[in-house]
Amino acid sequence: MKRSALLLPIAAVLLALLFSSIFVVDERQKALVLQFGRVVAVKEEPGLAFKLPLIQDVVYYDDRILSRDVDPLEVTPSDDRRLVVDAFARYRIVDVETFREAVGPGGEFAAEQRLDSILRAELREVLGSVSSGDILSEDRAALMLRIATGARAEAQDLGLQIIDVRLKRTDLPPQNLDATFARMRAEREREAADEIARGEEAAQRIRAQADRTVVELTSEASREAEIVRGEADANRNRIFADAFSSDPEFFEFYRSLTAYTRALQGSNSTLVLSPDSEFFDYLKTDRLSPSVPVAAPQAPAAPGGGGGAIAPVPDAEDEASDTGAPPVEQAETN
């Protein structure tokens, strides 16, 4: 009984020591075996591993690709236009022993702080050597490669491998945005004014060409109209000449009637002429055949009043006998 009572505690202690000497390395991790703070073994292969119980400890580090966002950083490119840059890096712990010696017990947190310092320094150095136009252009990929190359050389001292560095966002500082937007608006307004001016110039040119075309067409049409009018007048005169030569008496009678119609117009037209005037030759009875009664020609009706009529012409002898005055003929329209 006494022996069995002693064996049970000894077996329990042995089992505890056995379990404390066994540790498991996951495939996503790497392990360091430390003895009094000094690295004595590195376990990178996944599976079971052993250590000395009580005097040795195991520290695990992530073997996956990690990502680190750098706080927004304000840089000044070569053209003195300040920019706010937001970047991130992808890295991996490749040498856990060097990593442990560089960062100490701080682990990944201390490594990220050191990595931030490296990335911020490289961002300032690379982006400060180029203009803001280069940062915002297609050369941005080459700049990110330069930053990653410079940071990779310094990160090796920490046991880290920089896989990639990317610029997520590149903006102007808030205090410069208003001025930039104002300048952009001014440039767009200037471009709009230039476009409007060019449009007005083109419109003036088109209008001038149209006015010139109108003048040319009008002049050409007037010239052709004058030609046609002249030809018509020539034909009219030729017809009048033919009619006059065929019957001069009738021609003179027609022209006299036309003259009466044009002269006696309106609501109150009065002509005072000598009885011997040739204007009233065809109103005298001795110019017409005795067998044909002659009525006074009717003037065309006025637009606003009654038609005009030629008053009867008194005989010259009766006029002279009644008044004792020389005979006068009078044409009147009411």
Side-chain angles (χ1 to χ4, degrees):
M1 292 294 294
K2 294 181 179 180
R3 183 178 297 179
S4 61
L6 293 174
L7 289 177
L8 288 175
I10 294 174
V13 171
L14 292 177
L15 288 176
L17 293 175
L18 179 63
F19 282 114
S20 64
S21 65
I22 297 174
F23 63 94
V24 178
V25 179
D26 191 87
E27 64 270 11
R28 296 169 295 180
Q29 294 177 332
K30 292 181 180 181
L32 287 179
V33 179
L34 303 178
Q35 182 174 338
F36 305 114
R38 183 173 60 85
V39 178
V40 295
V42 177
K43 302 296 182 181
E44 297 183 354
E45 296 297 327
L48 292 176
F50 296 92
K51 65 179 181 65
L52 295 177
L54 301 178
I55 63 173
Q56 292 183 346
D57 296 324
V58 179
V59 180
Y60 298 95
Y61 295 106
D62 203 327
D63 193 33
R64 296 173 294 180
I65 295 176
L66 305 176
S67 178
R68 176 61 180 173
D69 288 330
V70 181
D71 293 335
L73 174 66
E74 189 171 303
V75 298
T76 303
S78 59
D79 54 359
D80 294 332
R81 293 183 61 184
R82 299 167 63 189
L83 296 175
V84 176
V85 178
D86 190 3
F88 74 94
R90 299 170 65 205
Y91 70 97
R92 184 178 183 181
I93 302 173
V94 293
D95 190 345
V96 290
E97 188 173 358
T98 303
F99 180 78
R100 176 69 183 186
E101 293 176 356
V103 301
E108 295 180 2
F109 178 77
E112 289 178 350
Q113 299 300 318
R114 297 276 298 275
L115 184 60
D116 282 351
S117 300
I118 294 173
L119 293 175
R120 294 168 72 89
E122 288 297 324
L123 286 170
R124 284 196 175 94
E125 180 180 356
V126 174
L127 299 183
S129 63
V130 297
S131 65
S132 58
D134 295 334
I135 299 175
L136 301 175
S137 67
E138 296 178 353
D139 297 335
R140 183 172 181 153
L143 296 176
M144 291 188 292
L145 181 60
R146 287 177 54 187
I147 295 171
T149 302
R152 191 175 294 122
E154 296 186 26
Q156 288 180 353
D157 296 337
L158 301 178
L160 301 177
Q161 178 188 6
I162 302 295
I163 298 174
D164 195 10
V165 176
R166 294 290 175 177
L167 300 179
K168 295 192 297 183
R169 185 170 56 93
T170 305
D171 293 332
L172 292 172
Q175 59 270 24
N176 295 343
L177 286 178
D178 293 338
T180 302
F181 290 154
R183 185 172 62 253
M184 293 173 63
R185 283 193 295 268
E187 292 177 356
R188 296 301 177 267
E189 290 174 357
R190 180 182 58 80
E191 293 177 359
D194 292 341
E195 291 293 334
I196 292 173
R198 284 194 289 269
E200 290 293 337
E201 180 183 357
Q204 291 290 342
R205 185 168 58 251
I206 293 172
R207 280 195 289 268
Q209 184 64 30
D211 293 340
R212 178 180 177 182
T213 303
V214 168
V215 172
E216 291 177 353
L217 293 177
T218 304
S219 301
E220 183 67 21
S222 299
R223 185 182 67 82
E224 294 179 358
E226 291 296 333
I227 293 174
V228 173
R229 190 178 293 110
E231 293 176 353
D233 291 340
N235 291 332
R236 183 192 63 180
N237 293 334
R238 180 178 54 78
I239 293 172
F240 281 153
D242 293 341
F244 180 78
S245 61
S246 62
D247 193 350
E249 181 69 21
F250 175 77
F251 186 77
E252 290 181 2
F253 175 70
Y254 175 76
R255 296 298 297 271
S256 297
L257 292 180
T258 304
Y260 298 155
T261 303
R262 294 179 178 176
L264 302 175
Q265 293 182 357
S267 61
N268 187 18
S269 297
T270 302
L271 294 176
V272 179
L273 300 172
S274 173
D276 298 333
S277 175
E278 295 181 357
F279 187 72
F280 288 111
D281 282 349
Y282 283 95
L283 296 180
K284 298 177 181 179
T285 57
D286 56 355
R287 292 295 303 270
L288 301 174
S289 175
S291 60
V292 179
V294 179
Q298 300 293 326
I310 297 180
V313 180
D315 187 56
E317 296 179 356
D318 295 338
E319 184 78 19
S321 62
D322 292 340
T323 64
V328 176
E329 293 184 359
Q330 180 175 352
E332 181 177 355
T333 62
N334 295 324

